[in-house]
């Protein structure tokens, strides 16, 4: 079975946010108003998420990424990953983390079937790390990256959100990590979400063209689209590098035409577009003991409603997604 939307895009990728809790307080990611956390009863249980994942795989989803909040703060995440990786039809299980618990969890996660890992890292400077995240834990993230590499996770993608006056002077240094290591270091444009940084958005936003220029050693002719289907990134290599440098520009470059993803929020809503306020409730059906066919039906209807593209550029700098990233799953 395949999920194909009204615009002919094949939808085969589901991102599941398993919690809205996080052990960091990155100001651009945290909701600026309303309740800061969901009640436990509002969050889907692992069993409910497995039901959704099973139905998703039966509908044509082949890749799942676990995200959050911070997924590694939710108890039982390793067992959940193991059960996910046993679902028929799923070819790839990936996880996005801030890396704080990765040093101790990389091996159990690997054994549970997680191979692909994205780690968020906005700076290599300890004081700056503390300023951005609220905690002085840069060494833990670096140890987590090292451990993930030792254990054989591949690819290891390091995601850096570029912000003017905050970390845009570190682009060259972060890109240089790829000289000796097989990492993909990906620079991402700041997106206008519901966060405390929203008022500063215009000031903090750096367009991709500007931060690409900061890496003097890249050959711009060689920048190519990512070769895997996770890939909104355009990739290139520094001369002699082992790893790759990537650029992700959700604001400046529309990649909606090739969008293959759906998102499931921790409170049981399907989002068909990161930058749409539209959400389809799946929790009510799950709690009313829906059958797998009922859930597959919800997936089909969701995919049919997936918009052609986001309207970020026309509603410039508005909070189009209605939630902060921490409450969606990045
Ligand atoms: N806690 C995990 C982590 O840190 O990777 C997973 C969830 S976090 C919401 C996923 C990603 O979203 C992080 O890389 C974070 O930097 C990014 N993010 C959060 N708010 C963003 C924004 N306004 N614009 C661009 N990226 C953002």
């Amino acid at each position: 079975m395949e999920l194909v939307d009204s615009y002919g895009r094949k939808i085969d990728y589901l991102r599941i946010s398993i919690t809205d809790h996080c052990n960091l307080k990155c100001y651009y990611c945290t909701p600026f108003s309303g309740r800061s956390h969901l009640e436990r009863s509002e969050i889907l249980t692992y069993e409910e998420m497995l039901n959704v994942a099973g139905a998703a795989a039966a509908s044509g989803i082949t890749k799942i990424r676990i995200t959050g909040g911070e997924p590694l703060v939710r108890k039982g995440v390793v067992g959940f990953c193991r059960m996910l990786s046993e679902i028929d039809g799923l070819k790839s299980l990936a996880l996005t983390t801030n890396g704080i618990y990765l040093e101790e969890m990389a091996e159990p996660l690997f054994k549970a079937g997680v191979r692909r890992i994205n780690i968020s890292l906005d700076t290599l400077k300890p004081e700056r790390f503390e300023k951005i995240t609220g905690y002085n834990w840069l060494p833990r993230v670096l140890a987590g990256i090292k451990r993930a590499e030792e254990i054989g996770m591949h690819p290891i993608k390091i995601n850096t959100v570029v912000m003017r006056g905050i970390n845009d002077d570190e682009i060259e240094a972060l890109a240089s990590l790829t000289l000796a290591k097989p990492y993909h270091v990906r620079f991402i444009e700041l997106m206008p979400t519901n966060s405390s940084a929203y008022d500063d958005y215009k000031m903090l936003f750096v367009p991709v063209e500007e931060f690409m220029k900061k890496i003097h050693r890249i050959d711009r002719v060689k920048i190519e689209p990512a070769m895997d289907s996770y890939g909104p990134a355009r990739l290139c290599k520094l001369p002699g590098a082992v790893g790759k440098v990537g650029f992700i520009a959700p604001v400046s470059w529309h990649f909606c035409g090739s969008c293959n993803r759906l998102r499931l929020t921790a409170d049981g809503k399907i989002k068909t577009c990161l930058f749409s306020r539209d959400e389809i409730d799946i929790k009510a059906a799950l709690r009313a003991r829906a059958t797998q066919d009922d859930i597959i039906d919800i997936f089909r209807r969701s995919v049919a409603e997936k918009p052609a593209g986001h309207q970020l550029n026309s509603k410039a700098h508005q909070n189009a997604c209605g939630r902060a990233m921490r409450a969606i799953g990045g």
Side-chain angles (χ1 to χ4, degrees):
M1 206 186 284
E2 279 196 348
L3 285 170
V4 179
D5 74 5
S6 329
Y7 303 93
R9 293 170 298 196
K10 187 173 155 193
I11 310 301
D12 58 4
Y13 180 18
L14 175 68
R15 298 170 79 114
I16 303 182
S17 173
I18 63 170
T19 177
D20 66 331
H21 283 249
C22 189
N23 44 1
L24 297 182
K25 293 185 290 209
C26 306
Y27 59 85
Y28 61 90
C29 187
T30 302
F32 67 79
S33 63
R35 283 177 309 152
S36 61
H37 289 299
L38 294 165
E39 300 291 330
R40 198 189 175 88
S41 62
E42 292 173 279
I43 291 183
L44 295 185
T45 62
Y46 283 135
E47 196 188 347
E48 288 168 336
M49 289 181 190
L50 284 166
N51 283 344
V52 176
S59 321
I61 297 289
T62 57
K63 299 155 206 153
I64 288 185
R65 174 172 296 278
I66 306 302
T67 179
E70 170 49 38
L72 301 190
V73 302
R74 183 159 176 186
K75 247 173 128 178
V77 59
V78 172
F80 176 59
C81 288
R82 188 176 310 111
M83 286 191 265
L84 277 179
S85 63
E86 285 164 4
I87 291 178
D88 265 355
L90 272 193
K91 295 187 190 137
S92 172
L93 179 60
L95 185 133
T96 299
T97 174
N98 57 30
I100 302 298
Y101 291 147
L102 193 57
E103 187 180 19
E104 56 271 36
M105 291 181 75
E107 186 169 0
L109 285 168
F110 187 86
K111 287 185 177 156
V114 178
R115 295 288 177 275
R116 309 174 68 102
I117 195 140
N118 286 11
I119 302 155
S120 304
L121 179 64
D122 295 334
T123 175
L124 293 169
K125 300 187 180 193
E127 338 69 70
R128 205 172 262 186
F129 185 94
E130 185 168 2
K131 204 168 156 210
I132 296 173
T133 67
Y135 298 91
N136 184 14
W137 285 341
L138 177 63
R140 293 175 66 159
V141 181
L142 298 177
I145 295 173
K146 183 166 172 268
R147 187 69 188 137
E149 186 188 348
E150 282 165 4
I151 218 73
M153 286 190 172
H154 184 78
I156 293 176
K157 296 184 181 176
I158 296 177
N159 289 336
T160 302
V161 178
V162 179
M163 291 166 284
R164 193 178 305 286
I166 307 277
N167 64 351
D168 57 337
D169 57 344
E170 281 191 79
I171 292 176
E172 186 90 6
L174 282 153
S176 298
L177 294 176
T178 65
L179 290 173
K181 295 288 185 186
Y183 310 149
H184 292 189
V185 175
R186 306 168 341 144
F187 297 99
I188 305 174
E189 281 182 341
L190 182 69
M191 296 183 265
T193 58
N194 178 3
S195 80
S196 51
Y198 178 55
D199 287 341
D200 302 333
Y201 180 76
K202 278 188 182 164
M203 216 175 70
L204 294 174
F205 177 75
V206 186
V208 66
E209 294 290 340
E210 188 179 323
F211 56 76
M212 276 166 71
K213 281 188 196 136
K214 296 204 176 211
I215 307 176
H216 299 291
R217 286 171 290 166
I218 56 171
D219 180 348
R220 297 185 48 131
V221 179
K222 289 196 183 137
I223 294 177
E224 35 186 65
M227 295 309 289
D228 69 40
S229 54
Y230 287 112
R234 296 199 193 164
L235 297 171
C236 63
K237 265 190 173 196
L238 299 185
V242 185
K244 292 184 178 173
V245 172
F247 301 97
I248 302 181
V251 182
S252 302
W253 299 332
H254 239 274
F255 38 79
C256 305
S258 59
C259 182
N260 62 344
R261 57 187 66 177
L262 294 176
R263 292 180 160 82
L264 176 67
T265 65
D267 58 341
K269 306 283 191 293
I270 293 181
K271 276 185 94 74
T272 57
C273 170
L274 179 57
F275 289 107
S276 164
R277 287 174 176 261
D278 295 340
E279 299 180 345
I280 297 123
D281 184 35
I282 203 166
K283 184 167 64 183
L286 287 166
R287 296 198 171 167
R289 307 225 160 267
T291 63
Q292 190 176 72
D293 283 347
D294 296 333
I295 304 172
I296 290 176
D297 204 48
I298 296 176
F299 266 103
R300 289 224 192 88
R301 278 189 280 126
S302 307
V303 164
E305 286 175 26
K306 188 171 166 71
H310 68 59
Q311 302 297 320
L312 266 188
N313 295 327
S314 57
K315 292 184 199 162
H317 309 324
Q318 293 184 13
N319 166 31
C321 53
R323 294 177 181 235
M325 282 302 242
R326 201 189 72 194
I328 302 174

